[in-house]
Amino acid sequence: MKDHVYKLIELTGTSTTSIEDAVNKAISRAHKTVKKLCWFQVVETRGSIDKGKVQHWQVTIKVGFSVEN
């Protein structure tokens, strides 16, 4: 088994639907340019309110990926 080295990046995904959708959008977008994504950690969740209802979600995540040799 190899010893791995990982790098972390921080992303913020947004959605008018859900927290999960915001996370999925951030990961999907990162996957287009960053390879070997391994895991994520939710750092912060926030949103906006309009007329007593959640209008928009913003979720900040840290994403870890393996650094190539």
Side-chain angles (χ1 to χ4, degrees):
M1 179 180 207
K2 291 172 142 185
D3 292 328
H4 295 279
V5 174
Y6 298 96
K7 182 172 177 84
L8 290 174
I9 57 174
E10 192 168 275
L11 305 168
T12 300
T14 63
S15 173
T16 56
T17 308
S18 68
I19 293 169
E20 184 177 352
D21 188 47
V23 170
N24 283 325
K25 285 180 179 179
I27 291 171
S28 177
R29 177 61 184 89
H31 177 71
K32 292 179 181 180
T33 57
V34 180
K35 301 305 172 206
K36 299 190 178 186
L37 298 175
C38 298
W39 53 270
F40 74 94
Q41 170 188 356
V42 175
V43 177
E44 184 176 18
T45 305
R46 61 189 171 277
S48 61
I49 302 168
D50 186 35
K51 297 177 185 172
K53 294 184 180 181
V54 174
Q55 187 68 31
H56 206 253
W57 294 99
Q58 289 184 332
V59 182
T60 300
I61 60 174
K62 287 185 180 179
V63 180
F65 60 94
S66 181
V67 176
E68 294 183 4
N69 291 331

